[in-house]
Amino acid sequence: MKAAILLIISLFTTVVYAQQNVNYDESKVPVYTLPKLLEGSKGEKISTTEQWEKQRRPELLELFTSQVYGRTPTGKIDVTYETMVENPNAMGGKATGKQVKFTFSNGKKKIEALLLIYIPNNITGKVPVFIGYNFKGNHSTTSDITVLYSPTLQLIKGPDHHDRERGTQKSRWNYDKIIDRGYAVATMCYHDIFPDSPELKEYSILSLFPGYGPEVTVPDEWQAIGAWAWGSSRIVDFLETEEKIDGDKIAIMGHSRQGKAALWAGAQDERFKIVISNNSGCGGAALFRRKFGETIAVINKNFPHWFCNNFLQYNDRDEELPTDQHQLIALMAPRKVYVASAENDLWADPRGEFLSAYHAGKVYQLYGLKAIDSDEMPKIHQPIMEDIGYHIRAGEHDVMDYDWECYLNFADKHFRN
Ligand code: GTR
């Protein structure tokens, strides 16, 4: 019965998407001109890293804030940390597992979130770390029976939903490989920060901030992607207090909607030294102006709670957005950034993801760093690992062992020398 209902829901979703006017034909990609990276808003040439950092970078950050993701409040929310479980012999003894409850509070209201961390045991000294949100609860990332259920999942999925089964998303979190390669890993369920539904905003972190109301009142008011990005920075705040974690070697990895949030987090918070967007598509790495796969109108319709209200004005007018996503990727410079696509993930526009990583290169070159040197897409499973990284792998929209293998190689290259 459960399976039948799920099948109906997924068929319905497919039909809804199919009805929308989505282009998958490369020959129908419009001719477009990308907004300039190295030219200021008044047409000034940007030719030094100083001009980039003092002028152009803040200008672009402001455009992404006001037109796309919304404004992250600068005020602080109190947070306390409580270690719920500590297991020095996790993963057959090779890791220490820790589960820490974050309690965010504004004095009147509290929101709880649960972080799961595994730290390799056989390394003396500090270790680099990958952080990333999971979609279905910390318990879904492992068969480790000590891992607690993430608190907010039940708001989204009822108590007997199959997502409550342990280990359902294990294949996306190859903890063995990560620990064996000498990295720590920290994950939280993204619903803990903003349960992913427009109806559940009152349970999100947004509701703790001054001026919060259920309706959006300001056109650049932040929404779910802004909240998820904010939450990743709070994970960094905590990890900086962890003795075994090297706070100078923090990588963030986000898949799909979390790939969008990871890029937005990396743009705002320079403590992320490697930013990885896995199959992030529209509103992530893909160039809006290609209008291939998901477009602004489609994403705003299906996910009205992700972007700020100003973004709605670009529905069916993607080319009028004053920014494009190569500029978002360039905001990571001179830190390292990696974009990954999947061959069959046309909804996310693999070529558009690649091209924004390519076009961001101009800013990396300003720093004397190595960008992607050709606008020819690399072949399947031929990763590019310069200061900007990119790969396309066979298969579907997902996070697979191959992706982790590449991310670990990229991190080895930049964190280990
Ligand atoms: C899709 C959405 C994409 C992507 C994806 C995901 O339905 O259209 O933009 O975010 O969800 O997060 O898996």
Side-chain angles (χ1 to χ4, degrees), residues 148-159:
L148 304 167
Y149 283 82
S150 297
T152 328
L153 192 70
Q154 72 224 18
L155 290 174
I156 292 275
K157 313 272 165 96

mmCIF file with all atom_site columns, all heavy atoms in Angstrom, residues 148-159:
data_model
loop_
_atom_site.group_PDB
_atom_site.id
_atom_site.type_symbol
_atom_site.label_atom_id
_atom_site.label_alt_id
_atom_site.label_comp_id
_atom_site.label_asym_id
_atom_site.label_entity_id
_atom_site.label_seq_id
_atom_site.pdbx_PDB_ins_code
_atom_site.Cartn_x
_atom_site.Cartn_y
_atom_site.Cartn_z
_atom_site.occupancy
_atom_site.B_iso_or_equiv
_atom_site.pdbx_formal_charge
_atom_site.auth_seq_id
_atom_site.auth_comp_id
_atom_site.auth_asym_id
_atom_site.auth_atom_id
_atom_site.pdbx_PDB_model_num
ATOM 1  N N   . LEU A 1 148 ? 20.988 8.754  16.358 1.00 0.00 ? 148 LEU A N   1
ATOM 2  C CA  . LEU A 1 148 ? 19.647 9.212  16.754 1.00 0.00 ? 148 LEU A CA  1
ATOM 3  C C   . LEU A 1 148 ? 18.863 9.727  15.545 1.00 0.00 ? 148 LEU A C   1
ATOM 4  O O   . LEU A 1 148 ? 19.456 10.173 14.563 1.00 0.00 ? 148 LEU A O   1
ATOM 5  C CB  . LEU A 1 148 ? 19.781 10.344 17.778 1.00 0.00 ? 148 LEU A CB  1
ATOM 6  C CG  . LEU A 1 148 ? 20.596 10.011 19.036 1.00 0.00 ? 148 LEU A CG  1
ATOM 7  C CD1 . LEU A 1 148 ? 20.939 11.291 19.814 1.00 0.00 ? 148 LEU A CD1 1
ATOM 8  C CD2 . LEU A 1 148 ? 19.812 9.035  19.930 1.00 0.00 ? 148 LEU A CD2 1
ATOM 9  N N   . TYR A 1 149 ? 17.549 9.689  15.679 1.00 0.00 ? 149 TYR A N   1
ATOM 10 C CA  . TYR A 1 149 ? 16.684 10.255 14.635 1.00 0.00 ? 149 TYR A CA  1
ATOM 11 C C   . TYR A 1 149 ? 16.762 11.776 14.678 1.00 0.00 ? 149 TYR A C   1
ATOM 12 O O   . TYR A 1 149 ? 16.745 12.357 15.758 1.00 0.00 ? 149 TYR A O   1
ATOM 13 C CB  . TYR A 1 149 ? 15.237 9.796  14.853 1.00 0.00 ? 149 TYR A CB  1
ATOM 14 C CG  . TYR A 1 149 ? 15.037 8.388  14.397 1.00 0.00 ? 149 TYR A CG  1
ATOM 15 C CD1 . TYR A 1 149 ? 15.383 7.319  15.208 1.00 0.00 ? 149 TYR A CD1 1
ATOM 16 C CD2 . TYR A 1 149 ? 14.558 8.132  13.123 1.00 0.00 ? 149 TYR A CD2 1
ATOM 17 C CE1 . TYR A 1 149 ? 15.252 6.020  14.772 1.00 0.00 ? 149 TYR A CE1 1
ATOM 18 C CE2 . TYR A 1 149 ? 14.420 6.831  12.673 1.00 0.00 ? 149 TYR A CE2 1
ATOM 19 C CZ  . TYR A 1 149 ? 14.774 5.778  13.502 1.00 0.00 ? 149 TYR A CZ  1
ATOM 20 O OH  . TYR A 1 149 ? 14.639 4.508  13.060 1.00 0.00 ? 149 TYR A OH  1
ATOM 21 N N   . SER A 1 150 ? 16.823 12.399 13.520 1.00 0.00 ? 150 SER A N   1
ATOM 22 C CA  . SER A 1 150 ? 16.870 13.855 13.482 1.00 0.00 ? 150 SER A CA  1
ATOM 23 C C   . SER A 1 150 ? 15.501 14.402 13.896 1.00 0.00 ? 150 SER A C   1
ATOM 24 O O   . SER A 1 150 ? 14.469 13.869 13.479 1.00 0.00 ? 150 SER A O   1
ATOM 25 C CB  . SER A 1 150 ? 17.244 14.329 12.080 1.00 0.00 ? 150 SER A CB  1
ATOM 26 O OG  . SER A 1 150 ? 18.545 13.860 11.791 1.00 0.00 ? 150 SER A OG  1
ATOM 27 N N   . PRO A 1 151 ? 15.494 15.456 14.704 1.00 0.00 ? 151 PRO A N   1
ATOM 28 C CA  . PRO A 1 151 ? 14.239 15.873 15.337 1.00 0.00 ? 151 PRO A CA  1
ATOM 29 C C   . PRO A 1 151 ? 13.125 16.324 14.391 1.00 0.00 ? 151 PRO A C   1
ATOM 30 O O   . PRO A 1 151 ? 11.964 16.089 14.659 1.00 0.00 ? 151 PRO A O   1
ATOM 31 C CB  . PRO A 1 151 ? 14.670 17.044 16.240 1.00 0.00 ? 151 PRO A CB  1
ATOM 32 C CG  . PRO A 1 151 ? 16.042 17.413 15.833 1.00 0.00 ? 151 PRO A CG  1
ATOM 33 C CD  . PRO A 1 151 ? 16.645 16.222 15.162 1.00 0.00 ? 151 PRO A CD  1
ATOM 34 N N   . THR A 1 152 ? 13.454 16.943 13.274 1.00 0.00 ? 152 THR A N   1
ATOM 35 C CA  . THR A 1 152 ? 12.404 17.613 12.501 1.00 0.00 ? 152 THR A CA  1
ATOM 36 C C   . THR A 1 152 ? 11.794 16.747 11.407 1.00 0.00 ? 152 THR A C   1
ATOM 37 O O   . THR A 1 152 ? 10.797 17.121 10.810 1.00 0.00 ? 152 THR A O   1
ATOM 38 C CB  . THR A 1 152 ? 12.967 18.907 11.876 1.00 0.00 ? 152 THR A CB  1
ATOM 39 O OG1 . THR A 1 152 ? 13.939 19.422 12.756 1.00 0.00 ? 152 THR A OG1 1
ATOM 40 C CG2 . THR A 1 152 ? 11.903 19.946 11.681 1.00 0.00 ? 152 THR A CG2 1
ATOM 41 N N   . LEU A 1 153 ? 12.427 15.590 11.148 1.00 0.00 ? 153 LEU A N   1
ATOM 42 C CA  . LEU A 1 153 ? 11.981 14.766 10.029 1.00 0.00 ? 153 LEU A CA  1
ATOM 43 C C   . LEU A 1 153 ? 10.489 14.429 10.107 1.00 0.00 ? 153 LEU A C   1
ATOM 44 O O   . LEU A 1 153 ? 9.787  14.406 9.101  1.00 0.00 ? 153 LEU A O   1
ATOM 45 C CB  . LEU A 1 153 ? 12.820 13.488 9.977  1.00 0.00 ? 153 LEU A CB  1
ATOM 46 C CG  . LEU A 1 153 ? 12.673 12.673 8.720  1.00 0.00 ? 153 LEU A CG  1
ATOM 47 C CD1 . LEU A 1 153 ? 13.312 13.390 7.535  1.00 0.00 ? 153 LEU A CD1 1
ATOM 48 C CD2 . LEU A 1 153 ? 13.279 11.292 8.897  1.00 0.00 ? 153 LEU A CD2 1
ATOM 49 N N   . GLN A 1 154 ? 10.002 14.200 11.342 1.00 0.00 ? 154 GLN A N   1
ATOM 50 C CA  . GLN A 1 154 ? 8.592  13.795 11.466 1.00 0.00 ? 154 GLN A CA  1
ATOM 51 C C   . GLN A 1 154 ? 7.607  14.876 11.051 1.00 0.00 ? 154 GLN A C   1
ATOM 52 O O   . GLN A 1 154 ? 6.447  14.581 10.782 1.00 0.00 ? 154 GLN A O   1
ATOM 53 C CB  . GLN A 1 154 ? 8.288  13.293 12.878 1.00 0.00 ? 154 GLN A CB  1
ATOM 54 C CG  . GLN A 1 154 ? 8.265  14.375 13.900 1.00 0.00 ? 154 GLN A CG  1
ATOM 55 C CD  . GLN A 1 154 ? 9.009  13.931 15.147 1.00 0.00 ? 154 GLN A CD  1
ATOM 56 O OE1 . GLN A 1 154 ? 9.785  12.990 15.115 1.00 0.00 ? 154 GLN A OE1 1
ATOM 57 N NE2 . GLN A 1 154 ? 8.769  14.618 16.247 1.00 0.00 ? 154 GLN A NE2 1
ATOM 58 N N   . LEU A 1 155 ? 8.079  16.139 11.000 1.00 0.00 ? 155 LEU A N   1
ATOM 59 C CA  . LEU A 1 155 ? 7.188  17.199 10.519 1.00 0.00 ? 155 LEU A CA  1
ATOM 60 C C   . LEU A 1 155 ? 6.906  17.018 9.031  1.00 0.00 ? 155 LEU A C   1
ATOM 61 O O   . LEU A 1 155 ? 5.853  17.367 8.521  1.00 0.00 ? 155 LEU A O   1
ATOM 62 C CB  . LEU A 1 155 ? 7.848  18.572 10.688 1.00 0.00 ? 155 LEU A CB  1
ATOM 63 C CG  . LEU A 1 155 ? 8.016  19.121 12.094 1.00 0.00 ? 155 LEU A CG  1
ATOM 64 C CD1 . LEU A 1 155 ? 8.816  20.407 12.047 1.00 0.00 ? 155 LEU A CD1 1
ATOM 65 C CD2 . LEU A 1 155 ? 6.638  19.391 12.696 1.00 0.00 ? 155 LEU A CD2 1
ATOM 66 N N   . ILE A 1 156 ? 7.901  16.508 8.341  1.00 0.00 ? 156 ILE A N   1
ATOM 67 C CA  . ILE A 1 156 ? 7.836  16.360 6.888  1.00 0.00 ? 156 ILE A CA  1
ATOM 68 C C   . ILE A 1 156 ? 7.262  14.997 6.524  1.00 0.00 ? 156 ILE A C   1
ATOM 69 O O   . ILE A 1 156 ? 6.436  14.870 5.638  1.00 0.00 ? 156 ILE A O   1
ATOM 70 C CB  . ILE A 1 156 ? 9.266  16.494 6.304  1.00 0.00 ? 156 ILE A CB  1
ATOM 71 C CG1 . ILE A 1 156 ? 9.772  17.924 6.468  1.00 0.00 ? 156 ILE A CG1 1
ATOM 72 C CG2 . ILE A 1 156 ? 9.376  16.012 4.891  1.00 0.00 ? 156 ILE A CG2 1
ATOM 73 C CD1 . ILE A 1 156 ? 9.345  18.866 5.358  1.00 0.00 ? 156 ILE A CD1 1
ATOM 74 N N   . LYS A 1 157 ? 7.747  13.985 7.212  1.00 0.00 ? 157 LYS A N   1
ATOM 75 C CA  . LYS A 1 157 ? 7.350  12.616 6.910  1.00 0.00 ? 157 LYS A CA  1
ATOM 76 C C   . LYS A 1 157 ? 6.677  12.037 8.148  1.00 0.00 ? 157 LYS A C   1
ATOM 77 O O   . LYS A 1 157 ? 7.210  12.165 9.248  1.00 0.00 ? 157 LYS A O   1
ATOM 78 C CB  . LYS A 1 157 ? 8.585  11.753 6.575  1.00 0.00 ? 157 LYS A CB  1
ATOM 79 C CG  . LYS A 1 157 ? 9.564  12.404 5.592  1.00 0.00 ? 157 LYS A CG  1
ATOM 80 C CD  . LYS A 1 157 ? 9.187  12.098 4.157  1.00 0.00 ? 157 LYS A CD  1
ATOM 81 C CE  . LYS A 1 157 ? 9.881  12.995 3.170  1.00 0.00 ? 157 LYS A CE  1
ATOM 82 N NZ  . LYS A 1 157 ? 11.078 12.449 2.584  1.00 0.00 ? 157 LYS A NZ  1
ATOM 83 N N   . GLY A 1 158 ? 5.545  11.403 7.957  1.00 0.00 ? 158 GLY A N   1
ATOM 84 C CA  . GLY A 1 158 ? 4.813  10.829 9.089  1.00 0.00 ? 158 GLY A CA  1
ATOM 85 C C   . GLY A 1 158 ? 5.630  9.764  9.820  1.00 0.00 ? 158 GLY A C   1
ATOM 86 O O   . GLY A 1 158 ? 6.648  9.306  9.315  1.00 0.00 ? 158 GLY A O   1
ATOM 87 N N   . PRO A 1 159 ? 5.133  9.329  11.004 1.00 0.00 ? 159 PRO A N   1
ATOM 88 C CA  . PRO A 1 159 ? 5.921  8.435  11.858 1.00 0.00 ? 159 PRO A CA  1
ATOM 89 C C   . PRO A 1 159 ? 6.215  7.073  11.230 1.00 0.00 ? 159 PRO A C   1
ATOM 90 O O   . PRO A 1 159 ? 7.221  6.460  11.562 1.00 0.00 ? 159 PRO A O   1
ATOM 91 C CB  . PRO A 1 159 ? 5.056  8.284  13.118 1.00 0.00 ? 159 PRO A CB  1
ATOM 92 C CG  . PRO A 1 159 ? 3.719  8.856  12.777 1.00 0.00 ? 159 PRO A CG  1
ATOM 93 C CD  . PRO A 1 159 ? 3.886  9.772  11.614 1.00 0.00 ? 159 PRO A CD  1
#
